[in-house]
């Protein structure tokens, strides 16, 4: 419950910042490329630190890593409202803070991925992941709308201060967890050998490898959507940064994501893991095309809601499969490497490509082109041969 509450509060603050930072960047620069670069920087550090963080954190106390990461993130985010109030805020600072916070988050995630399996039984892992994600998604439904009001009243920079406070709260809650978050292990093996061990497991465990590849295709398209959402609002519907409707666009995805966390446990009991992911990928492909072509705002909101549902089905299902298939001592390395490939490489690639395409064409055409990787993931999920170990991973 402490871990659940920590993630809930932190997610609320992060959801506000997810609206405020692109608004700040676009208002300062008016550039789709710069705004997309901001999103890319929030994911890029996974590619730099993922392998190292996973191996190092598997040797450390996960609680200590999580608390320190939360406090560092709080300090970084607090610099934005301070700079704004002093009239010092620049696009460069936004990029630096976004990249630094994302770098710290890699280390937090390396610990967090292994923390939940250490607190719940194998049979409860699907429900536990769904509980964490459903709470986070419920908050994300309300938080962007609140962010729109905050931006209109105290400004985008002032809104970021709430995220700083949320990280402080998260650190205090994680610190209060008494139960151990990791088992003791032998750390006499060289660090490089630890990294190689995690990579070998991910590559040779066919189920983990397949779901990681599927997550990569989804992540490239997701990077395009997240990086262009503010630009999409501006260009497609003339929604500016001080318009409350901007929060609705961000909240719509949260509504669908919440629905996905409710749907996942019964789906996992009735159909195989790959079928769950295939359902999410196919749905996501269709609604991404619908989003790009939506002529009116309410259709765009429906498409974003379905996009959020499809995305969370793919993400949560993939994470749970990796956690179930991975030994406890490898949780940090394998899960961070999987997230590094999807979130650290896939999303920045999609974000930067989408920004360049939107500058060269239009935001609608850019979204259509960026649906292609999702289509590739659908084909891979449909055509890949089932492996023996895939049948051994039961999500129910």
């Amino acid at each position: 419950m402490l871990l659940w509450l920590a993630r809930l509060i932190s997610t609320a603050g992060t959801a506000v910042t997810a609206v405020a930072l692109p608004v700040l960047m676009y208002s300062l620069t008016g550039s789709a490329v710069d705004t997309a670069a901001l999103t890319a920087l929030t994911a890029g550090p996974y590619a730099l630190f993922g392998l190292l963080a996973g191996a190092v954190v598997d040797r450390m106390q996960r609680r200590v890593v999580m608390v320190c990461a939360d406090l560092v993130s709080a300090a970084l985010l607090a610099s934005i409202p301070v700079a704004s109030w002093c009239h010092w805020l620049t696009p460069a600072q936004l990029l630096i803070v976004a990249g630094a916070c994302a770098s710290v988050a890699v280390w937090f995630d390396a610990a967090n991925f292994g923390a939940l399996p250490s607190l719940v039984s194998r049979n409860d892992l699907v429900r536990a992941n769904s509980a964490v994600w459903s709470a986070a998604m419920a908050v994300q439904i309300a938080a962007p709308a609140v962010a729109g009001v905050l931006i209109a009243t105290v400004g985008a920079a002032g809104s970021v201060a709430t995220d700083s406070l949320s990280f402080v709260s998260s650190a205090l809650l994680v610190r209060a967890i008494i139960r151990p978050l990791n088992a003791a292990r032998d750390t006499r093996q060289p660090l490089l050998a630890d990294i190689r061990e995690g990579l070998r497991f991910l590559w040779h465990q066919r189920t983990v490898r397949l779901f990681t590849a599927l997550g990569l295709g989804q992540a490239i398209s997701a990077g395009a959507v997240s990086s262009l959402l503010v630009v999409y609002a501006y260009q497609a519907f003339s929604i500016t940064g001080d318009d409350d409707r901007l929060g609705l666009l961000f909240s719509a995805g949260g509504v669908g994501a919440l629905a996905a966390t409710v749907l996942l446990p019964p789906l996992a009991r009735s159909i195989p893991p790959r079928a769950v992911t295939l359902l999410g990928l196919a749905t996501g492909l269709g609604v991404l095309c619908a989003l790009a072509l939506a002529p009116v705002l309410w259709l765009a909101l429906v498409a974003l809601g379905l996009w959020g549902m499809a995305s969370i089905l793919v993400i949560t299902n993939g994470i749970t499969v990796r956690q179930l298939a991975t030994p406890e001592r490898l949780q940090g390395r394998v899960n961070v490497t999987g997230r590094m490939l999807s979130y650290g490489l896939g999303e920045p690639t999609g974000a930067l490509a989408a920004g360049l395409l939107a500058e060269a064409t239009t935001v609608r055409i850019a979204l259509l082109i960026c649906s292609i990787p999702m289509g590739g993931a659908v084909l891979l999920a449909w055509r890949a041969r089932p492996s023996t170990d895939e049948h051994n991973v039961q999500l129910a």
Side-chain angles (χ1 to χ4, degrees):
M1 289 301 297
L2 288 169
L3 182 61
W4 175 84
L5 187 58
R7 303 311 304 136
L8 180 67
I9 293 173
S10 179
T11 300
T14 301
V16 172
T17 297
V19 180
L21 283 189
V23 168
L24 278 170
M25 179 61 78
Y26 199 67
S27 64
L28 288 173
T29 66
S31 169
V33 172
D34 289 339
T35 306
L38 185 73
T39 302
L41 269 178
T42 62
Y46 258 94
L48 295 176
F49 304 117
L51 293 177
L52 178 64
V56 171
V57 171
D58 274 344
R59 295 166 169 247
M60 301 175 64
Q61 290 294 322
R62 290 171 179 148
R63 180 188 294 103
V64 174
V65 175
M66 294 165 75
V67 169
C68 291
D70 275 340
L71 293 177
V72 171
S73 294
L76 288 167
L77 288 166
S79 71
I80 291 179
V82 170
S84 178
W85 294 331
C86 295
H87 305 288
W88 297 337
L89 187 63
T90 64
Q93 181 179 350
L94 293 178
L95 293 172
I96 291 170
V97 170
C101 284
S103 299
V104 174
V106 177
W107 298 84
F108 182 94
D109 282 351
N112 185 54
F113 278 127
L116 190 61
S118 72
L119 293 174
V120 301
S121 70
R122 178 183 178 89
N123 291 336
D124 289 330
L125 191 55
V126 170
R127 289 192 294 273
N129 270 322
S130 293
V132 171
W133 281 90
S134 62
M137 294 307 106
V139 168
Q140 286 188 358
I141 294 170
V146 173
V149 176
L150 284 173
I151 292 170
T153 54
V154 301
S159 302
V160 177
T162 61
D163 196 10
S164 178
L165 294 175
S166 77
F167 275 107
V168 173
S169 301
S170 175
L172 294 174
L173 288 166
V174 173
R175 178 65 183 84
I177 297 174
I178 299 175
R179 292 176 57 188
L181 299 183
N182 52 297
R185 62 178 291 255
D186 185 4
T187 59
R188 291 175 295 180
Q189 181 173 253
L191 186 62
L192 187 58
D194 275 359
I195 294 173
R196 285 197 299 264
E197 184 181 17
L199 290 172
R200 279 197 303 269
F201 180 86
L202 189 148
W203 180 253
H204 291 293
Q205 221 280 0
R206 288 182 59 192
T207 298
V208 174
R209 186 177 67 206
L210 172 63
F211 278 81
T212 300
L214 297 177
L216 176 60
Q218 189 273 340
I220 294 173
S221 297
V225 174
S226 61
S227 67
L228 290 181
L229 195 52
V230 169
V231 181
Y232 177 77
Y234 274 67
Q235 292 187 9
F237 302 110
S238 301
I239 297 175
T240 58
D242 57 356
D243 192 324
D244 290 346
R245 292 179 298 168
L246 183 62
L248 293 177
L249 285 169
F250 282 85
S251 296
V255 174
L258 178 60
T261 61
V262 176
L263 287 173
L264 181 57
L267 280 175
R269 289 192 295 269
S270 57
I271 61 177
R274 193 196 305 197
V276 175
T277 294
L278 179 58
L279 174 64
L281 290 170
T283 303
L285 176 61
V287 298
L288 180 51
C289 295
L291 176 65
L293 300 173
V296 292
L297 181 60
W298 72 266
L299 283 176
L301 292 173
V302 171
L304 283 169
L306 292 172
W307 169 260
M309 181 187 71
S311 297
I312 294 302
L313 276 179
V314 175
I315 293 169
T316 309
N317 189 61
I319 289 173
T320 306
V321 166
R322 277 203 307 266
Q323 288 174 329
L324 288 172
T326 303
E328 197 279 338
R329 63 187 178 84
L330 296 175
Q331 285 286 343
R333 281 166 280 175
V334 173
N335 282 290
V336 170
T337 301
R339 187 154 171 79
M340 178 190 74
L341 293 172
S342 59
Y343 185 68
L345 293 177
E347 289 207 15
T349 299
L352 290 174
L356 292 171
L357 287 168
E359 286 280 299
T361 58
T362 67
V363 69
R364 293 183 183 274
I365 293 175
L367 289 173
L368 282 174
I369 294 174
C370 289
S371 68
I372 294 174
M374 182 82 77
V378 170
L379 289 177
L380 177 60
W382 180 264
R383 295 177 61 87
R385 292 180 300 172
S387 61
T388 302
D389 53 28
E390 183 176 337
H391 296 297
N392 296 330
V393 177
Q394 298 295 326
L395 300 187

